[in-house]
Amino acid sequence: MIRIVRPRLPTELETSLLALTQEMAGTPVPDRGDHAERMWGRNSVRRDVYQPVREALKDMAPGWDCCMYCGNHLADTVDHFVPKSRCALRTFYWPNLLLACSTCNTRFKGDEHRSDGLVGSLLIDPTRENPFDHLDLGLASGVYRPVVGSPKGEWTIEVCGLNTGRRPRVRADTWLNLADDLKDWDRARGEGDVRNMRRKVYRMRTQPFADVCYAALHKAVSDDAPSIFAEAEPGLLDLLRDDELRASFQV
Ligand SMILES: [Zn+2]
């Protein structure tokens, strides 16, 4: 899971979402849950709101439509961060909508929701906060652990199934591929091959589970970096700390 910047929507789409929210606000409170489901399934809403919202989310998602929870690519559903069954008024609220793969949206997260005991959610919202404040990714293992003392990290790993099935294995493979790409990038730089350098960065940014790449860049400048990368290939840490490379990733 990585930090994602949420842009403003085109005015026309923003206005449509606001009108639907106003319709919901005019619905008696006990009826709002059912009404939200009906409105979400309306043909006109699917065509004029759902699809453009999904495209906007795909544009802001990292890589090729990466799921904003697990990081896998080709995510294709609009998820309600706070489920509409819990807060119907947020059904058409742009900051409540995220791109998710069907596995996260239906199999894992679904209608699960827990409050943080204050005013927010216990689930990490990558469009509002930096997931690395709560989640620590083991690069070689591909396994997520909560940052010590972070209930949000714990709950997010559990509710999104971040360590379930083959996900850790795929992340571990991604780390191996990343190491190769970094060396290729450095080789291209040595040859003055700017085009190939750009291609390598593009590949690293757009691959599925790009969270591995951003986690490595994040860890490389931490105080613990020498011990974290002690087992990594020689030179890898220096590359991850390289100003030119980091500028390419805008970190
Ligand atoms: Zn997912």
Side-chain angles (χ1 to χ4, degrees):
M1 194 181 262
I2 58 177
R3 184 85 169 91
I4 296 163
V5 177
R6 183 185 291 276
R8 280 196 67 169
L9 286 173
T11 307
E12 195 180 333
L13 188 52
E14 213 172 45
T15 305
S16 299
L17 286 169
L18 187 60
L20 290 162
T21 299
Q22 285 169 341
E23 180 184 330
M24 185 64 66
T27 305
V29 174
D31 300 335
R32 282 182 186 169
D34 290 341
H35 196 53
E37 287 294 340
R38 282 196 298 274
M39 287 173 75
W40 191 245
R42 258 183 215 162
N43 286 338
S44 59
V45 169
R46 302 301 284 183
R47 183 188 63 231
D48 301 332
V49 176
Y50 181 92
Q51 288 186 23
V53 162
R54 186 177 57 183
E55 291 311 305
L57 288 171
K58 286 183 176 184
D59 286 344
M60 70 187 245
W64 285 109
D65 312 340
C66 284
C67 172
M68 294 177 181
Y69 297 110
C70 75
N72 203 358
H73 70 329
L74 302 182
D76 204 34
T77 70
V78 177
D79 174 66
H80 293 89
F81 181 76
V82 176
K84 51 188 182 306
S85 60
R86 305 290 181 120
C87 183
L89 269 181
R90 295 198 201 182
T91 302
F92 299 101
Y93 182 50
W94 169 234
N96 193 45
L97 304 177
L98 276 75
L99 187 72
C101 69
S102 55
T103 305
C104 283
N105 200 353
T106 53
R107 183 175 157 206
F108 288 121
K109 179 176 172 283
D111 284 347
E112 290 280 359
H113 177 69
R114 273 188 204 171
S115 162
D116 63 1
L118 300 169
V119 292
S121 168
L122 202 51
L123 183 65
I124 299 166
D125 180 347
T127 66
R128 287 174 186 263
E129 58 196 322
N130 188 348
F132 294 145
D133 290 342
H134 303 281
L135 295 172
D136 180 52
L137 176 62
L139 297 171
S141 66
V143 171
Y144 270 110
R145 303 274 180 228
V147 167
V148 176
S150 171
K152 272 195 171 192
E154 260 180 58
W155 172 246
T156 300
I157 290 168
E158 183 186 331
V159 79
C160 293
L162 293 184
N163 293 331
T164 305
R166 291 173 182 253
R167 287 173 170 181
R169 173 71 191 273
V170 178
R171 288 191 207 104
D173 284 353
T174 302
W175 168 234
L176 295 177
N177 292 335
L178 180 67
D180 287 344
D181 283 340
L182 285 168
K183 284 184 289 184
D184 287 347
W185 177 87
D186 194 38
R187 198 172 300 123
R189 177 167 64 172
E191 294 165 356
D193 190 346
V194 176
R195 189 159 171 249
N196 205 16
M197 288 167 70
R198 287 203 193 110
R199 283 175 59 186
K200 290 298 168 194
V201 168
Y202 177 78
R203 186 177 130 97
M204 289 185 271
R205 288 175 66 122
T206 56
Q207 68 185 338
F209 294 98
D211 49 340
V212 176
C213 178
Y214 286 92
L217 289 163
H218 175 73
K219 285 167 177 275
V221 292
S222 71
D223 293 341
D224 300 331
S227 62
I228 293 171
F229 291 89
E231 303 288 319
E233 291 181 48
L236 209 52
L237 177 56
D238 289 340
L239 269 176
L240 287 163
R241 286 174 163 176
D242 188 283
D243 288 340
E244 189 177 3
L245 179 90
R246 297 182 71 84
S248 303
F249 284 91
Q250 298 169 332
V251 294

